[in-house]
Amino acid sequence: MSVAAERRAALPWEVWALLAGSFLVAAGYGIVAPALPVFAQTFGVGVTAAAAVVSALPVLRLLFAPVSGRLVARVGERAMYLTGLMVVAASTGACALATSYVQLLVFRGLGGIGSTMFSVSAFSLIFRLAPEGRRGQLSGLFTGAFLLGGICGPAFGGGLVAVDVRAPFLVYALALVLATAVVGILLARSSTIGARRDDPDVAPLTLTGALRFPVYRAALASGLATGWAVQGVRVALVPLFVAVALGREPLWAGVALAVFAVGDGAMLLATSGLSDRRGRRPVVIAGLATVAVGTACLGLFPSLVVLLVASLLAGAGAGLLQPAQGAAVADLVGSRRSGGPALSGFQMATDVGAIVGPIAAGALAEGLGFGAAFAVSGAIAVAALLVWLSVGSRAEEPGTRDA
């Protein structure tokens, strides 16, 4: 079958099962997000301690990522995928039963272990199943499933908090148990997904091996920039910027975050598979440039109109950037070998940005003002762009690799 014919072919049904699981995990994360700090404060702790509960999951996810990558390579993606879902379900259910702040902190943090098990194995499975020449498209669908879940979850979670602050955790835990059972049954019926599908003639892609590729090093740089500017600073600093610098009601922070999501989702839909046709490098560079401009403008021109326009622009940049950089990593792994360690390394770079970014930007905002904080965040994206420019045209070839 020609590449053109394969691109027209329907995606494997297993892909849709994995995308549904990704949507549910993201929606559940959004469901419990409004409840976490509120629940923490019921134990009599301050704002800083309540915020620490939010950071517990990404910190544990970062610490466990190297282990999860090796486990994926050793026991296979399917087993790790389902185990990760169950760990997150158990952790979330335990949060609902917490009777002290320390218990809540520990239980929430343990969910990070399941989160990295799930995300690394799902990422690997998605790209193993990708038809020739469609890894960029599937990366966009994977990102879009998380985005859609992240949009739907908070609204539902906010309503549950009004009923009982523990309710979001119970609902999410039960939904994950059901999802694990359904997806597990579906994947067990698959003739494509087995416990292992590695080609014995192709060595697994280790982290050390991946670091030899300029494209992988560039993907780590853009992954860190994504975590810093898109996932970290945007969520942590925009609400403070709206309240302190603009003197506006918290409602406008929510509007700005929603506008970002609209830009992200619209770009994902409009450019689905663009990096498959045009190559990863130019799409990543365009995305990084757009994110940099959208982020830096927030502090340089402080006004409500600029906030909304810049949020839309940064969202559009994220919609370009994330699928293309994910597909670039998947090209190196291919479909015939395990790449768990390399994929977990890429996830770690994003997590480092998401953890360090808000802390560094918060310190800059407090010492030098919000303009400096957003400008530095934009500069991080520019630095990643320069790394991608240094890769050269070797990363511009569209299509995928088998190994």
Side-chain angles (χ1 to χ4, degrees):
M1 183 183 294
S2 68
V3 172
E6 286 178 308
R7 285 177 177 170
R8 291 192 295 268
L11 293 175
W13 64 264
E14 294 94 339
V15 167
W16 298 108
L18 293 170
L19 291 175
S22 300
F23 167 81
L24 183 61
V25 168
Y29 186 88
I31 285 172
V32 301
L36 265 177
V38 177
F39 190 20
Q41 288 190 313
T42 63
F43 297 115
V45 301
V47 174
T48 302
V53 175
V54 178
S55 301
L57 187 144
V59 168
L60 264 291
R61 185 172 61 195
L62 173 65
L63 294 176
F64 193 75
V67 178
S68 69
R70 291 193 292 269
L71 286 175
V72 166
R74 180 173 299 178
V75 305
E77 292 96 338
R78 184 174 66 190
M80 287 293 292
Y81 177 88
L82 297 175
T83 302
L85 284 179
M86 288 306 300
V87 170
V88 176
S91 167
T92 306
C95 285
L97 304 176
T99 58
S100 70
Y101 171 77
V102 173
Q103 287 183 6
L104 179 62
L105 184 67
V106 171
F107 293 152
R108 182 60 177 170
L110 291 176
I113 296 176
S115 176
T116 190
M117 292 168 67
F118 157 81
S119 58
V120 171
S121 54
F123 194 59
S124 182
L125 280 171
I126 284 285
F127 290 117
R128 279 179 181 266
L129 293 166
E132 181 73 13
R134 296 181 70 177
R135 285 193 181 127
Q137 181 189 13
L138 260 66
S139 183
L141 289 172
F142 191 59
T143 303
F146 272 100
L147 175 65
L148 184 59
I151 293 172
C152 297
F156 186 45
L160 288 174
V161 171
V163 177
D164 189 314
V165 74
R166 298 175 187 264
F169 301 96
L170 291 173
V171 170
Y172 184 28
L174 292 174
L176 280 176
V177 171
L178 178 62
T180 303
V182 173
V183 175
I185 292 172
L186 289 174
L187 295 184
R189 296 171 53 197
S190 172
S191 59
T192 305
I193 298 178
R196 295 291 298 274
R197 274 192 62 220
D198 302 341
D199 190 327
D201 297 325
V202 182
L205 183 61
T206 64
L207 180 59
T208 302
L211 285 170
R212 296 192 183 102
F213 294 96
V215 170
Y216 185 75
R217 297 195 296 270
L220 293 182
S222 58
L224 186 142
T226 300
W228 185 300
V230 174
Q231 299 176 10
V233 170
R234 174 179 62 89
V235 176
L237 224 59
V238 166
L240 295 174
F241 176 70
V242 169
V244 177
L246 301 184
R248 298 279 185 164
E249 298 80 4
L251 168 67
W252 288 106
V255 171
L257 296 177
V259 167
F260 178 96
V262 169
D264 193 346
M267 185 59 72
L268 281 170
L269 289 174
T271 62
S272 176
L274 180 63
S275 70
D276 292 327
R277 302 187 297 271
R278 302 296 183 184
R280 316 302 186 205
R281 179 175 175 267
V283 178
V284 170
I285 289 172
L288 284 168
T290 309
V291 167
V293 172
T295 302
C297 283
L298 288 174
L300 296 177
F301 308 101
S303 76
L304 184 59
V305 173
V306 172
L307 170 67
L308 298 180
V309 173
S311 295
L312 184 67
L313 188 64
L320 274 174
L321 166 63
Q322 294 180 92
Q325 68 181 5
V329 175
D331 289 343
L332 295 177
V333 176
S335 58
R336 294 166 53 202
R337 62 179 170 186
S338 172
L343 293 173
S344 67
F346 175 64
Q347 177 184 289
M348 287 177 67
T350 304
D351 287 339
V352 167
I355 293 169
V356 175
I359 297 172
L364 284 169
E366 190 172 17
L368 300 174
F370 285 97
F374 287 120
V376 169
S377 298
I380 296 295
V382 172
L385 185 155
L386 295 176
V387 176
W388 271 96
L389 284 174
S390 71
V391 169
S393 59
R394 286 171 297 174
E396 292 185 6
E397 299 177 5
T400 58
R401 297 170 53 165
D402 288 334

